[in-house]
């Protein structure tokens, strides 16, 4: 499937899932839909027929609150039936609001509390290095999540150990839970911070599939990579874009109809 | 105990290259040989326990048997959420080694006193909690933790009891009775067993029939041994270098309350929901807080003297 079509389907699923379940975080899911589409549709070396294939690339969603989008990406790429998506956030369902691996093929790791995914990914990357395995470890973080000190511990460690099989992607939509990042706990100069910690830094438009197509390729030897993906929170639904409100708000009624309609009409 | 742990782990690491030791920049002089002999199985993660535990979970999910190592609270409390979410929830083979249980690092102050660890770790699903009392048990918990699914918590004490009769086969979750008695049975864990043994001898001199049980595994808990006591012994006294809230005493009480029979007397000897605010060695602090041999003896005497059924 074309990655743009995949991104569109991820967005439509995510709106359906969060609206049906009355859950939050649609803005975060829409923000990273293109990143996930490029990863699952093109970059990641994974096999839906063998979710535990030892040579697979490992993908960890550290911003676990965006789990709806990952579930959608996995369903659309054949890890499980899209029917399962209807159980998201439902009593007795399989798919919790924050991404969980239990009984869900393709989910590498459960998260939900921020600042956990990168250290675990570092451990996986270190293990692969020690065993001279060729797979890569990709961790997707939110920008607000970079407030967590545990990430900076991991950032120090990964550079010190030269883990060039590790790629962190930051979904940099510049809005966190209650307010813009710049008003909460500013991250800028963000790229400089990663560079000074010894990482290979790439900046991309997190909605430009061509720019992201090679984001995992050609690692700089001895350096972990971070891809700073500049994104728009709520991307794809005009009234959700760049709005703090849609971190928590659920689209219902006319808002839901309008969101789905706009996404279905999109290219 | 710490040295015995490292000796044992060194033997294990030689035979199994999936054993990895990660320290949070502690273990001066103790870990040097391990680090030199097994450079691919040793990591100093720096003073960063959250990351250390996350890394441990990540490596464990890739097939390693990982031991995280630091002093007292640093290795489990600073990074409790990583232990819970990243390791325990994922059934990762992460073995958390807390060096300095209870007042082991007495004079260093409350930051270094691990006196709530058993309660905290006991409350975590998928976590086995070990608290050896002597070197035999230390060797056993080190070996058995690598084979135990999920997270293991190892509380290593500076003090230790003398080794008893040969350990023999011991299962995870099995109590280790050192002696039995119909009047009083002490249930204890950790190096404080040495004080319990002294107190037990004094009570025997007073004419009581006294038993002592060591609990190298606090979780899973040996309910059957404890519940059997209810019918066989009049007074059950728990002793721990730990808060009386949530630790060994609580585990024994939970077990006894679920039993059809109860002992006539139950007492939980430990810290009375307090932080230490005096300076001193492990032995000094035990005395100060009434959990040394004399304190255990006196508290037990007071408890049993009031019971006409246990008149010595």
């Amino acid at each position: 499937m074309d990655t743009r079509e995949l991104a569109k389907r991820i967005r439509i699923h995510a709106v359906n899932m969060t609206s049906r379940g009355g859950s939050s975080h649609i803005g975060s899911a829409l923000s990273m839909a293109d990143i996930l589409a490029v990863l699952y549709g093109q970059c990641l070396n994974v096999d839906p027929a063998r979710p535990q294939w030892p040579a697979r690339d490992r993908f960890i969603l550290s911003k676990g609150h965006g789990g709806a989008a990952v579930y959608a990406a996995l369903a659309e790429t054949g890890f499980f039936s899209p029917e399962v998506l209807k159980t998201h956030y439902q009593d007795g369902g399989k798919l919790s609001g924050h991404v969980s691996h239990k009984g869900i093929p393709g989910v590498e790791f459960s998260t939900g509390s921020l600042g956990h995914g990168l250290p675990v990914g570092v451990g996986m990357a270190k293990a692969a290095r020690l065993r001279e395995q060729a797979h890569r470890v990709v961790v997707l973080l939110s920008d607000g999540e970079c407030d967590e000190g545990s990430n900076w511990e991991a950032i120090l460690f990964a550079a010190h150990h030269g883990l060039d099989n590790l790629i962190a992607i930051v979904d940099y939509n510049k809005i966190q839970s209650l307010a813009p990042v710049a008003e909460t706990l500013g991250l800028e100069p963000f790229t400089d911070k990663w560079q000074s910690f010894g990482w290979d830094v790439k900046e991309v438009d997190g909605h430009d599939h061509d720019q992201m197509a090679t984001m995992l390729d050609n690692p700089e030897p001895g350096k972990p990579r971070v891809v700073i993906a500049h994104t728009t929170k709520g991307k794809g639904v005009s009234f959700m874009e760049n709005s703090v409100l849609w971190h928590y708000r659920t689209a219902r009624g006319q808002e839901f109809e309008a969101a789905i309609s706009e996404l279905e009409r999109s290219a | 105990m710490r040295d015995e742990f490292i000796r044992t782990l060194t033997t294990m690491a030689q035979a199994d290259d999936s054993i990895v030791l990660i320290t949070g920049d502690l273990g001066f002089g103790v870990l040097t040989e391990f680090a030199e002999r097994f450079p691919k199985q040793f990591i100093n993660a720096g003073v960063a326990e959250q990351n250390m535990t996350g890394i441990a979970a990540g490596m464990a999910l890739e097939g390693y048997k990982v031991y995280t190592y630091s002093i007292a609270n640093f290795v489990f409390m600073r990074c409790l959420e990583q232990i819970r979410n990243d390791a325990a929830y994922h059934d990762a083979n992460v073995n958390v080694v807390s060096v300095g249980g209870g007042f082991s690092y007495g004079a260093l102050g409350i930051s270094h006193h691990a006196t709530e660890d058993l309660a905290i770790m006991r409350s975590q699903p998928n976590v086995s909690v070990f608290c050896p009392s002597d070197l035999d048990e230390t060797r056993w918990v080190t070996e058995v933790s690598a084979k135990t699914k999920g997270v293991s918590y190892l509380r290593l004490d500076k003090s230790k009891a003398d080794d008893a009769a040969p350990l023999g086969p011991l299962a995870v979750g099995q109590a280790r009775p050192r002696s039995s008695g119909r009047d009083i049975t002490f249930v204890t864990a950790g190096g404080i067993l040495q004080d319990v043994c002294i107190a037990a001898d004094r009570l025997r001199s007073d004419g009581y029939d006294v038993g002592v049980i060591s609990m190298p595994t606090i979780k899973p808990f040996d309910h059957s041994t404890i519940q059997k006591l209810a019918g066989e012994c009049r007074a059950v006294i728990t002793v721990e270098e730990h808060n009386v809230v949530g630790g060994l005493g609580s585990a024994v009480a939970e077990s006894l309350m679920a039993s059809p029979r109860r002992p006539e007397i139950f007492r939980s000897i430990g810290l009375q929901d307090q932080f230490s605010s005096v300076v001193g060695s492990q032995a000094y602090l035990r005395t100060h807080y009434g959990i040394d041999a004399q304190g255990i003896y006196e508290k037990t005497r007071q408890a049993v003297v009031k019971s006409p059924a246990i008149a010595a």
Side-chain angles (χ1 to χ4, degrees), chain A residues 36 73 114 121 148 159 164 179 189 198 212 232 258:
Chain A
L36 290 174
L114 298 172
E148 292 280 5
D164 51 17
M212 290 192 285
T232 300

Side-chain angles (χ1 to χ4, degrees), chain B residues 19 53 64 69 83 86 95 104 184 269 291:
Chain B
I19 300 271
T53 308
Y64 283 96
Y69 177 103
I83 292 174
D86 304 347
N95 305 289
S104 295
I184 301 164
I269 297 175
I291 58 172

Side-chain angles (χ1 to χ4, degrees), chain A residues 209-228:
Chain A
H209 290 220
D210 292 333
Q211 277 191 36
M212 290 192 285
T214 56
M215 66 183 164
L216 307 187
D217 298 346
N218 303 318
E220 188 174 330
K223 281 190 173 187
R225 172 175 296 170
V226 61
V227 178
I228 311 281

Side-chain angles (χ1 to χ4, degrees), chain A residues 4-37:
Chain A
R4 287 167 190 81
E5 175 61 22
L6 178 55
K8 178 176 169 178
R9 292 189 188 190
I10 290 170
R11 287 193 164 95
I12 291 171
H13 280 308
V15 170
N16 272 311
M17 291 160 75
T18 53
S19 293
R20 192 184 296 115
S23 60
S24 301
H25 307 123
I26 184 60
S28 308
L30 295 174
S31 171
M32 65 180 189
D34 292 299
I35 298 169
L36 290 174

Side-chain angles (χ1 to χ4, degrees), chain A:
Chain A
M1 189 190 311
D2 171 67
T3 59
R4 287 167 190 81
E5 175 61 22
L6 178 55
K8 178 176 169 178
R9 292 189 188 190
I10 290 170
R11 287 193 164 95
I12 291 171
H13 280 308
V15 170
N16 272 311
M17 291 160 75
T18 53
S19 293
R20 192 184 296 115
S23 60
S24 301
H25 307 123
I26 184 60
S28 308
L30 295 174
S31 171
M32 65 180 189
D34 292 299
I35 298 169
L36 290 174
V38 172
L39 286 172
Y40 278 98
Q42 187 169 359
C43 298
L44 288 176
N45 189 22
V46 291
D47 182 356
R50 296 176 294 164
Q52 292 297 311
W53 175 40
R56 72 191 182 281
D57 287 335
R58 273 57 163 172
F59 172 74
I60 295 175
L61 178 72
S62 192
K63 45 173 289 189
H65 54 284
V70 169
Y71 294 141
L74 291 170
E76 282 294 340
T77 52
F79 281 87
F80 51 85
S81 163
E83 277 296 301
V84 178
L85 299 178
K86 291 178 181 166
T87 71
H88 179 254
Y89 223 73
Q90 302 295 318
D91 291 344
K94 282 182 131 187
L95 308 177
S96 55
H98 291 82
V99 73
S100 178
H101 71 291
K102 297 245 165 157
I104 313 299
V107 175
E108 195 72 52
F109 194 76
S110 301
T111 57
S113 175
L114 298 172
H116 283 246
L118 190 59
V120 172
V122 167
M124 290 178 172
K126 180 69 182 170
R129 272 286 162 273
L130 286 169
R131 291 191 163 150
E132 299 175 3
Q133 295 164 329
H135 62 263
R136 300 165 296 189
V137 181
V138 180
V139 182
L140 178 55
L141 300 94
S142 71
D143 45 14
E145 181 178 8
C146 291
D147 296 351
E148 292 280 5
S150 54
N151 284 324
W152 297 96
E153 296 178 4
I155 290 165
L156 281 171
F157 185 99
H160 182 84
H161 288 260
L163 300 178
D164 51 17
N165 54 346
L166 175 73
I167 300 103
I169 303 171
V170 181
D171 177 11
Y172 196 13
N173 59 38
K174 286 111 187 147
I175 293 176
Q176 52 193 98
S177 172
L178 300 181
V181 170
E183 292 174 20
T184 307
L185 205 52
L187 293 172
E188 292 295 338
F190 200 35
T191 56
D192 292 354
K193 286 189 173 74
W194 289 91
Q195 258 157 8
S196 69
F197 274 72
W199 284 54
D200 168 31
V201 184
K202 295 261 180 287
E203 281 189 272
V204 298
D205 176 340
H207 304 302
D208 183 325
H209 290 220
D210 292 333
Q211 277 191 36
M212 290 192 285
T214 56
M215 66 183 164
L216 307 187
D217 298 346
N218 303 318
E220 188 174 330
K223 281 190 173 187
R225 172 175 296 170
V226 61
V227 178
I228 311 281
H230 294 279
T231 53
T232 300
K233 194 153 185 167
K235 177 74 177 178
V237 178
S238 49
F239 62 88
M240 293 183 184
E241 289 188 359
N242 282 321
S243 163
V244 172
L245 180 69
W246 288 95
H247 186 83
Y248 288 118
R249 189 178 174 92
T250 305
R252 298 182 194 277
Q254 288 187 337
E255 284 176 340
F256 170 73
E257 300 297 337
I260 292 294
S261 168
E262 183 175 346
L263 288 170
E264 283 179 344
R265 279 185 282 108
S266 64

